[in-house]
Amino acid sequence: MKAKTYGIIAVVVLVIAAVGVLAGTHRAQAPAAPAGGAATTTAATATTTNAVATSTSTSAEAAVYTGPFPINPADAIASWSFKGAYTGNATLVAQANADIAHLTSLLGTGKYDDYDLYNGIGNDYNLLGDGQTAYRYYDKAAAVHPGKGLVYTNLGHLFDELGAYYTAADAYAKAVHVEPSVLEYHVMRLTFLTARLPKDNAAILAALSDASKQFGDTPAILSIEAEWLEGQGRYADAIKAWQTVKMLSPADRQASIQTQIERDQAKL
């Protein structure tokens, strides 16, 4: 995946990490685990269950579970196994397995929402590179609360790992559909699309339209759009997007944005 730097949306990315919606970059654990329970997080991990539980919208709960998230016919998954973030590290593998056992022991107890627990278990299997089992647990989470977006972003990350990019795009779109008021879901959707499917103009324009209808002009979204336009060689359009980002950004960010504008102007 081509590395991309979104300086303008750094704060937004930090918010995403804080509330635990970047599925594959952390281990999801039950909060306040008893001693000897879930393993301690490392620098690349974060506790997620508590924060995620509050991210729903009232209307989202009207969604109906329709069965396992479908694989897009455009995708062919050659193998459900992949090199997970913990693969090959015996210590981290042991931590993930301990976390799975701990979260499993909490299922059905009422101490935590099973939705969060299933998501956490799915994330652990994702980190272990077991795509089939991760998919199964994410599906269990969706069956509990089909109107919560987190599980669909987790599915998006999983199918990205599996190279099933159109299914991943469908999953990120679903997250936005069920919880359109969560900016981070729009950011993740567009970040994925512009990195993995940059020539799928229809999908990207639809995602941009969805974000615009919900939030209007937003630096986080416009920054992604501007970088995508640069990648398409559409520098004049990119400049317009950056100019709006500059106008909406705090003073301490405007110099760096102006530098980017001048770079694009030199390419016209």
Side-chain angles (χ1 to χ4, degrees):
M1 178 175 178
K2 182 180 178 182
K4 302 185 74 173
T5 302
Y6 303 121
I8 307 304
I9 65 169
V11 174
V12 174
V13 174
L14 289 175
V15 171
I16 295 171
V19 300
V21 292
L22 287 177
T25 61
H26 58 266
R27 289 169 51 246
Q29 301 172 324
T40 303
T41 58
T42 65
T45 67
T47 302
T48 65
T49 313
N50 247 351
V52 170
T54 62
S55 67
T56 61
S57 63
T58 303
S59 61
E61 287 303 322
V64 177
Y65 177 69
T66 56
F69 194 83
I71 309 300
N72 191 300
D75 290 323
I77 300 176
S79 173
W80 284 86
S81 298
F82 57 92
K83 186 176 180 180
Y86 287 4
T87 302
N89 187 315
T91 299
L92 294 179
V93 167
Q95 286 181 355
N97 285 323
D99 199 43
I100 289 168
H102 176 64
L103 296 177
T104 300
S105 73
L106 294 170
L107 287 168
T109 65
K111 188 172 183 180
Y112 304 108
D113 194 331
D114 281 358
Y115 173 86
D116 298 317
L117 299 174
Y118 284 134
N119 265 306
I121 295 169
N123 285 350
D124 281 319
Y125 279 113
N126 193 321
L127 293 167
L128 292 171
D130 184 345
Q132 187 72 65
T133 308
Y135 180 40
R136 179 159 56 89
Y137 276 96
Y138 290 148
D139 179 58
K140 288 176 179 288
V144 175
H145 292 305
K148 288 188 177 183
L150 174 65
V151 69
Y152 303 112
T153 66
N154 285 343
L155 283 163
H157 178 81
L158 172 63
F159 286 112
D160 184 5
E161 292 278 9
L162 293 167
Y165 297 150
Y166 290 99
T167 307
D170 292 342
Y172 285 119
K174 180 73 170 181
V176 167
H177 174 72
V178 298
E179 291 197 280
S181 64
V182 180
L183 174 62
E184 291 82 358
Y185 295 163
H186 291 266
V187 169
M188 284 190 286
R189 179 190 185 187
L190 278 161
T191 299
F192 167 81
L193 287 172
T194 56
R196 293 299 203 197
L197 301 170
K199 295 184 179 181
D200 193 340
N201 288 6
I204 292 171
L205 291 174
L208 288 169
S209 176
D210 287 342
S212 178
K213 288 175 183 176
Q214 192 69 32
F215 304 104
D217 287 338
T218 306
I221 299 298
L222 288 171
S223 297
I224 301 173
E225 179 181 9
E227 293 202 2
W228 171 63
L229 291 168
E230 289 168 347
Q232 301 298 303
R234 295 168 57 185
Y235 297 109
D237 291 332
I239 289 168
K240 292 178 182 178
W242 282 126
Q243 287 172 335
T244 304
V245 171
K246 180 181 176 182
M247 179 181 66
L248 297 173
S249 297
D252 62 351
R253 298 298 308 165
Q254 292 184 9
S256 62
I257 300 168
Q258 181 60 36
T259 297
Q260 187 60 50
I261 291 171
E262 291 170 2
R263 288 193 187 115
D264 286 345
Q265 287 172 334
K267 296 175 182 177
L268 290 175

